[in-house]
Amino acid sequence: MKQMNRIIIGISIGLFCSGIVFGQKAERERIREGNKLYNSEKFTESEIAYRKGIEVNPRSFEGAYDLGNALYKQQKYPEAAEQYQLVASQGERLLTENPANINRMAQVFHNIGNIGMQNKEYAKSIEAYKQSLRFNPTDDETRYNLALAQKLLENQEQNQDQQQEQQDQQQEQQQNDQNQEQQPPNQNEDQQQQQEQPQNENMSRENAQQILDAFLQDEKETQDKVKQAQERQRERRRTERQW
């Protein structure tokens, strides 16, 4: 009985190992096919081949990396970024297995930075380029892209500040307009009338006084003339009496 169990276990292990070998072979064949198509700039066809390889081995570093490149060439940036992030998450294991993967890790982060530039996410691009330079400090293209991303981020922040300032000014102006609309109608006219009313009253009093003064003056002159006439009349009577 024990002998039979050993035989069954041995067969199972053999089948399992054969399955792994078969799967690895199928994966490599799909990836090699994808690479040929990719080098011929048939990026859509290469994407299909890489996906078939990943179906055989979902944890394939080669498949994820190559699929990301094929998607990137087709400008399918969100999907490409997803594959690059998958590779980046396995970075420590990949470097442990093969130190030569360091150059691929540098390229992965370089491409992540480029995708950020396409989306105008310059802060993300800066972090990705810095990470790429940690893996490959001699990459001048990445260093140039990093400087460009930093400059574009600075311009973006300045534009955002200016836009915010304009929005604040517009909101303040709108608030002022609303406050003016909320004032009672003819308030300005009432205020003007209130200001003019004392002046009108003053002017009326002055006019009245002038009229009164003129009337009194006329009355005085009239009385003077009456007195003078009466005086002449009395003089005439005295003269007549003397004669």
Side-chain angles (χ1 to χ4, degrees):
M1 187 66 180
K2 292 182 179 180
Q3 185 67 25
M4 181 61 68
N5 291 337
R6 290 175 182 174
I7 292 173
I8 294 173
I9 293 173
I11 293 173
S12 299
I13 293 174
L15 292 173
F16 178 75
C17 293
S18 298
I20 293 176
V21 173
F22 177 79
Q24 290 176 343
K25 182 179 179 180
E27 175 194 350
R28 286 195 297 269
E29 288 178 354
R30 298 291 184 271
I31 290 177
R32 282 198 295 268
E33 179 185 357
N35 289 342
K36 290 179 181 180
L37 294 168
Y38 182 90
N39 292 331
S40 300
E41 297 185 355
K42 297 179 179 179
F43 303 120
T44 302
E45 292 82 352
S46 67
E47 174 191 347
I48 296 172
Y50 292 139
R51 289 191 182 278
K52 290 181 179 179
I54 291 176
E55 288 178 0
V56 177
N57 181 13
R59 298 185 61 187
S60 173
F61 164 74
E62 292 286 343
Y65 175 78
D66 293 336
L67 176 59
N69 291 338
L71 293 168
Y72 183 86
K73 288 294 186 179
Q74 297 176 75
Q75 298 183 357
K76 297 179 179 180
Y77 298 123
E79 297 176 47
E82 183 178 354
Q83 295 301 317
Y84 288 142
Q85 292 292 350
L86 180 62
V87 175
S89 66
Q90 305 178 47
E92 185 176 353
R93 179 179 65 83
L94 296 172
L95 294 175
T96 301
E97 293 177 356
N98 185 1
N101 285 330
I102 191 171
N103 291 327
R104 288 189 174 182
M105 292 299 300
Q107 188 61 40
V108 163
F109 282 103
H110 177 90
N111 289 349
I112 291 175
N114 289 348
I115 292 173
M117 294 282 277
Q118 293 289 339
N119 297 330
K120 296 183 179 180
E121 297 175 340
Y122 303 122
K124 292 182 179 180
S125 295
I126 290 171
E127 293 303 318
Y129 289 139
K130 287 181 178 180
Q131 188 66 25
S132 178
L133 289 172
R134 292 187 182 99
F135 290 111
N136 184 8
T138 62
D139 190 344
D140 292 335
E141 182 180 356
T142 301
R143 186 176 292 104
Y144 171 82
N145 288 0
L146 172 61
L148 178 60
Q150 290 172 333
K151 181 60 177 177
L152 291 174
L153 177 61
E154 180 181 353
N155 294 340
Q156 186 183 62
E157 290 176 345
Q158 290 178 352
N159 291 335
Q160 290 175 349
D161 292 340
Q162 291 176 356
Q163 291 176 359
Q164 184 62 44
E165 184 177 355
Q166 291 176 356
Q167 290 177 358
D168 293 341
Q169 292 177 352
Q170 291 176 355
Q171 291 178 356
E172 183 178 358
Q173 182 62 40
Q174 291 176 356
Q175 185 64 37
N176 292 336
D177 294 340
Q178 291 177 357
N179 292 337
Q180 291 180 357
E181 292 176 357
Q182 291 174 359
Q183 290 181 354
N186 300 329
Q187 180 176 1
N188 294 334
E189 295 180 2
D190 293 342
Q191 292 177 352
Q192 184 176 2
Q193 291 176 358
Q194 291 176 0
Q195 293 175 355
E196 292 178 352
Q197 185 175 1
Q199 296 178 358
N200 292 336
E201 291 179 354
N202 293 334
M203 292 177 63
S204 299
R205 291 172 183 173
E206 291 177 358
N207 290 338
Q209 186 65 40
Q210 291 176 357
I211 294 172
L212 178 59
D213 293 342
F215 174 78
L216 294 176
Q217 182 66 29
D218 292 341
E219 186 179 2
K220 182 181 178 182
E221 292 178 355
T222 301
Q223 290 177 354
D224 291 343
K225 290 179 179 179
V226 171
K227 289 179 180 180
Q228 291 176 1
Q230 292 175 349
E231 184 66 27
R232 285 197 296 272
Q233 185 67 26
R234 284 195 294 268
E235 288 293 332
R236 188 179 302 109
R237 288 176 181 176
R238 286 197 294 268
T239 304
E240 289 175 355
R241 288 174 184 176
Q242 292 175 359
W243 288 95

